[in-house]
Amino acid sequence: MMSDLPLDQVRTLLAVVDEQSFDAAAAVLHVTPSAVSQRIKALEQRTGRVLLLRTKPVSLTSSGQVLVRFARSLAQLEQDALSELGLGSSSTRTLSIAVNSDSLATWFLPALAGVPESLGICFDLQREDQDHTAAFLREGLVMAAVTASPQPVQGCTSHRLGRMRYRAMASPAFIARWLTDSPLPSCLPTAPVIVFDRKDDLQDRFLRALTRRRNFTLVRHHIPASESFVDAVAAGLGWGMVPEIQAAPRGNALVDLAPDRPLDVPLHWQQWKLDSPALATVADAVAQGAKKALR
């Protein structure tokens, strides 16, 4: 029962997770690191489970994830209640959201700008690949996420936002150097390629569909920033899968290598099943923004 979980201990666990260390959590809570450690130990003894792995940064066990989700839900409900009562510090509340880099660089921030300032929402955005943002929900690190996964995380709802369309792009100079001596399925797998990071498989997915092969070039440039990724393609460092909405403003600087082979990534909005007016308002704004920008 809720009464069996001391709220100061639960809030302390959340602070340690958000701040990523006992010392930083102590500073936020205005207590000593020893007090933080004692509260976590007492909570673990009460639940009979290890909740935190004392790594750097700290990480949650599966039991810890359950309690952090509870703590974050409780904090949001408390903020909503204080806001409705018009009490002091309730003028602001924090919403944590995981979002992929390409959405963050294109349509997501304009969507958040549609949230009324009167709600006093502070956004805490966590950037991650769309194939991995759902893990942030499972771990209790965020309350909502833009994700490629349609299957709702336990305790969450899932709504389709639309499709982000990617196209295989390269600069004219890159094409002249690497892609003119043979058909695209033959020459593209050996040409230098730009990838976002080691979780990014869009380029390989495109190549597998184009060639039915699985082994490709070893020349891979990792550019882990959405705008810089497009800049690298335009500069001729390699070819890459560029969001259609980012490619359009570049004009002739980027050439579509396979106009008849776009790659669509469906995006979904997942959020906790929580009766929170603030979260509902943000969800509506995100849906409206996606409707304007995505297919």
Side-chain angles (χ1 to χ4, degrees):
M1 295 175 60
M2 187 183 302
S3 59
D4 293 333
L5 294 174
L7 297 186
D8 63 330
Q9 296 175 8
V10 172
R11 290 189 177 107
T12 299
L13 176 65
L14 180 60
V16 171
V17 170
D18 285 347
E19 302 302 323
Q20 291 291 285
S21 77
F22 282 61
D23 289 345
V28 168
L29 296 173
H30 305 292
V31 298
T32 65
S34 177
V36 170
S37 180
Q38 290 171 9
R39 289 179 187 179
I40 298 300
K41 184 176 180 180
L43 187 59
E44 289 180 325
Q45 290 174 339
R46 180 175 287 269
T47 58
R49 307 191 180 186
V50 175
L51 304 175
L52 278 177
L53 300 179
R54 274 66 167 176
T55 53
K56 291 186 178 182
V58 298
S59 58
L60 287 165
T61 65
S62 57
S63 297
Q65 292 172 12
V66 172
L67 284 188
V68 165
R69 286 196 298 268
F70 164 72
R72 208 176 294 282
S73 298
L74 182 67
Q76 184 59 46
L77 291 173
E78 181 180 50
Q79 289 176 343
D80 288 341
L82 289 173
S83 180
E84 290 184 29
L85 292 171
L87 298 178
S89 61
S90 61
S91 58
T92 62
R93 81 280 308 269
T94 299
L95 286 182
S96 51
I97 304 171
V99 58
N100 62 304
S101 292
D102 290 337
S103 292
L104 190 59
T106 53
W107 64 272
F108 193 73
L109 293 181
L112 293 188
V115 176
E117 292 184 9
S118 60
L119 291 179
I121 296 176
C122 297
F123 296 108
D124 181 6
L125 302 184
Q126 307 291 323
R127 186 177 59 183
E128 182 56 280
D129 184 89
Q130 64 271 0
D131 291 325
H132 300 271
T133 48
F136 282 53
L137 284 169
R138 283 191 294 272
E139 295 169 11
L141 300 178
V142 298
M143 302 176 65
V146 175
T147 174
S149 174
Q151 184 65 33
V153 172
Q154 184 177 3
C156 295
T157 59
S158 178
H159 301 283
R160 185 180 177 92
L161 293 173
R163 293 173 291 128
M164 178 166 277
R165 174 158 288 184
Y166 290 80
R167 292 190 176 276
M169 309 292 287
S171 70
F174 181 87
I175 293 172
R177 180 178 181 184
W178 292 96
L179 306 178
T180 57
D181 293 337
S182 57
L184 193 66
S186 299
C187 59
L188 193 62
T190 60
V193 63
I194 311 290
V195 295
F196 188 86
D197 58 24
R198 284 157 181 81
K199 297 177 182 177
D200 176 16
D201 72 340
L202 291 182
Q203 286 69 216
D204 285 351
R205 285 168 56 185
F206 177 82
L207 286 174
R208 286 194 295 269
L210 180 69
T211 67
R212 300 185 182 277
R213 292 169 50 186
R214 292 189 173 274
N215 297 317
F216 310 117
T217 178
L218 296 178
V219 181
R220 291 173 175 250
H221 303 295
H222 295 86
I223 313 289
S226 188
E227 287 294 337
S228 298
F229 180 101
V230 182
D231 289 341
V233 175
L237 286 179
W239 70 276
M241 301 303 296
V242 177
E244 193 174 61
I245 51 180
Q246 281 184 295
R250 300 283 179 149
N252 295 331
L254 293 175
V255 177
D256 191 344
L257 301 178
D260 60 337
R261 286 182 172 271
L263 179 60
D264 288 344
V265 176
L267 295 177
H268 300 79
W269 174 258
Q270 292 201 32
Q271 68 178 56
W272 291 355
K273 293 178 181 176
L274 191 64
D275 187 14
S276 166
L279 187 55
T281 300
V282 171
D284 288 342
V286 169
Q288 289 302 313
K291 184 176 181 181
K292 295 176 183 177
L294 303 180
R295 288 179 172 267

